[in-house]
Amino acid sequence: MSKQVQDAYVVAATRLPIGKSGRGYFKNTRPDEMLVKVMQAVLAQAPGLDPAAIEDAIVGCSFPEGEQGMNIARVASVLAGLGPTIGGVTINRYCASGITAVQMAADRIRVGEADVMFAGGVESMSMIPMGGNKPSLSPLIFERDENIGIAYGMGLTAEKVAAQWKISREAQDAFSVESHRRAVAAMQAGHFDAEMTPFDVVERTPNLTDGTVNVKTRTVKLDEGARPDTSLEGLAKLKPVFAAKGSVTAGNSSQTSDGSGGLLIVSEAALKRFNLTPLARFVSFAVRGVPPEIMGIGPIEAIPAALKAAGITAADLDWIELNEAFAAQSLAVLNDLDSKGIVLDRAKVNPNGGAIALGHPLGATGAIRAASVIHGLRRTGGKYGMVTMCVGAGQGAAGIFERL
């Protein structure tokens, strides 16, 4: 295990329901409002904690501009009532932004620099599109062939992974059907209740007859994307989206989404000072780079490194959140690791479904899935859980937690 001064403990972890971008729950909800709700919710889970004890709020966001710009971490911490003495920093590692925020917050504690930290993630793909409002690629990218993959759309990288690792269209669609099946079953069983914070969505509609505004509030409690009617027959009818003769479709890709999640992470001294109950211990983290044009296989490199740092094996993992950016890359990761003797039990990989069914709000996903792992382990009595994902421009990340 990596050297550290002290352990970092998670004492609160929650997330909002995930909404469909552009047409779903949060299409008109600002991302800072979502993040404020998450911050307030994690504080409510630690009633003995003095908010002023939080040193910093580290928040992941894939495209921190527009409505989620202006250092949304600091803005939200003030709006949430955490107090003016608390810092705030917004960080970006694309899809791994949220889990990187958790790692950075935990590391501040593990090296003895802080006692209480907030870590989270937020993303509104309704308000800030993939690539941001003004994508601008450096001309240097196109001067060397090995760098061109940086400019590829994520779907094209999935096509390249499918081709190189020989992942068939049928396998991708079957994986996607199972993601929806597990998600729907988990919802029906109430398995998301412990990790979820309901959100009151306010809808305002102008009345053109009398010039007033009609205000309607509804409470959302479940992720919006899971479809109980998903079938192999239905998915087989979808055309490829990213390559004319490809195999990656809207049905076997993650959904573009809006959402937010957050955790409170503390030292042992803070546990005693504020009489807090630890949910989990942050164990290890690893990030590795891979060729940008096959960015989806990033977890192949990050997972072994995170396991080694934790001093455990794949067989010790009781819950694995493998972000389903695409069915093709998820299957490629699982199959490749199998071939190397690092076998991830399929029953323990995304037991409540993954991003294909539940959605993928980019920079928020790592924090959201951290909450899923922690509460999933507590519900099932498992010991070790992992959050892992591929990252745009060619990276993989993995973080490991231990239930307490």
Side-chain angles (χ1 to χ4, degrees), residues 104 133 185 209 230 254 281 298 320 352:
M104 293 174 69
N133 291 316
T209 302
T230 301
S254 59
R281 179 177 68 93
I320 303 154
N352 289 343

Side-chain angles (χ1 to χ4, degrees), residues 102-290:
V102 175
Q103 167 251 317
M104 293 174 69
D107 282 355
R108 289 289 310 283
I109 291 167
R110 297 204 294 175
V111 300
E113 291 180 347
D115 284 309
V116 185
M117 299 283 291
F118 172 87
V122 67
E123 200 83 36
S124 172
M125 299 184 77
S126 291
M127 295 190 175
I128 309 298
M130 177 77 78
N133 291 316
K134 187 185 176 184
S136 179
L137 296 171
S138 169
L140 296 176
I141 290 173
F142 305 97
E143 291 184 359
R144 300 178 65 180
D145 289 346
E146 60 265 35
N147 294 335
I148 292 176
I150 294 174
Y152 286 175
M154 296 298 97
L156 184 55
T157 69
E159 288 286 8
K160 289 189 172 293
V161 167
Q164 186 169 333
W165 272 265
K166 297 180 173 57
I167 308 298
S168 69
R169 167 70 183 271
E170 293 73 19
Q172 293 175 55
D173 286 351
F175 183 90
S176 303
V177 169
E178 180 63 8
S179 181
H180 283 277
R181 187 197 69 77
R182 291 186 181 193
V184 171
M187 289 180 183
Q188 293 174 344
H191 290 170
F192 292 109
D193 292 352
E195 70 189 61
M196 194 79 73
T197 292
F199 190 93
D200 292 333
V201 177
V202 180
E203 299 173 346
R204 297 176 175 85
T205 306
N207 187 324
L208 301 181
T209 302
D210 59 14
T212 61
V213 176
N214 297 324
V215 180
K216 179 182 178 181
T217 301
R218 60 171 177 152
T219 301
V220 296
K221 300 180 179 180
L222 288 173
D223 300 318
E224 195 172 17
R227 297 185 298 271
D229 60 345
T230 301
S231 67
L232 286 173
E233 294 75 19
L235 293 184
K237 296 176 182 178
L238 299 177
K239 295 181 179 180
V241 178
F242 307 104
K245 297 182 179 180
S247 59
V248 180
T249 71
N252 56 41
S253 304
S254 59
Q255 302 180 33
T256 58
S257 314
D258 309 324
S260 183
L263 301 84
L264 278 177
I265 307 174
V266 307
S267 66
E268 185 174 356
L271 286 178
K272 296 175 179 178
R273 177 184 173 190
F274 298 109
N275 193 28
L276 300 170
T277 301
L279 305 178
R281 179 177 68 93
F282 186 81
V283 180
S284 71
F285 176 83
V287 62
R288 294 291 186 272
V290 297

Side-chain angles (χ1 to χ4, degrees), residues 16 26 29-38 123 259-260:
L16 303 184
F26 302 125
T29 301
R30 289 180 58 94
D32 44 15
E33 295 173 4
M34 291 192 289
L35 183 56
V36 164
K37 180 65 174 180
V38 164
E123 200 83 36
S260 183

Side-chain angles (χ1 to χ4, degrees), residues 210-404:
D210 59 14
T212 61
V213 176
N214 297 324
V215 180
K216 179 182 178 181
T217 301
R218 60 171 177 152
T219 301
V220 296
K221 300 180 179 180
L222 288 173
D223 300 318
E224 195 172 17
R227 297 185 298 271
D229 60 345
T230 301
S231 67
L232 286 173
E233 294 75 19
L235 293 184
K237 296 176 182 178
L238 299 177
K239 295 181 179 180
V241 178
F242 307 104
K245 297 182 179 180
S247 59
V248 180
T249 71
N252 56 41
S253 304
S254 59
Q255 302 180 33
T256 58
S257 314
D258 309 324
S260 183
L263 301 84
L264 278 177
I265 307 174
V266 307
S267 66
E268 185 174 356
L271 286 178
K272 296 175 179 178
R273 177 184 173 190
F274 298 109
N275 193 28
L276 300 170
T277 301
L279 305 178
R281 179 177 68 93
F282 186 81
V283 180
S284 71
F285 176 83
V287 62
R288 294 291 186 272
V290 297
E293 66 272 16
I294 49 172
M295 67 91 198
I297 55 90
I300 290 172
E301 304 298 334
I303 289 172
L307 289 170
K308 181 179 180 180
I312 63 174
T313 69
D316 295 315
L317 294 170
D318 297 305
W319 194 291
I320 303 154
E321 290 288 337
L322 170 64
N323 187 46
E324 300 169 356
F326 301 93
Q329 63 84 208
S330 297
L331 287 166
V333 167
L334 293 169
N335 294 346
D336 190 277
L337 289 174
D338 281 351
S339 70
K340 297 172 180 175
I342 305 172
V343 179
L344 301 181
D345 186 340
R346 302 305 194 264
K348 298 176 181 178
V349 176
N350 302 345
N352 289 343
I356 288 172
L358 301 174
H360 177 24
L362 299 180
T365 297
I368 288 171
R369 298 281 72 98
S372 298
V373 161
I374 290 167
H375 288 290
L377 289 173
R378 291 180 66 78
R379 179 173 56 79
T380 60
K383 184 174 183 180
Y384 289 108
M386 178 173 65
V387 178
T388 184
M389 56 198 56
C390 59
V391 184
Q395 297 180 71
I400 295 176
F401 299 84
E402 179 189 12
R403 178 189 65 85
L404 298 175

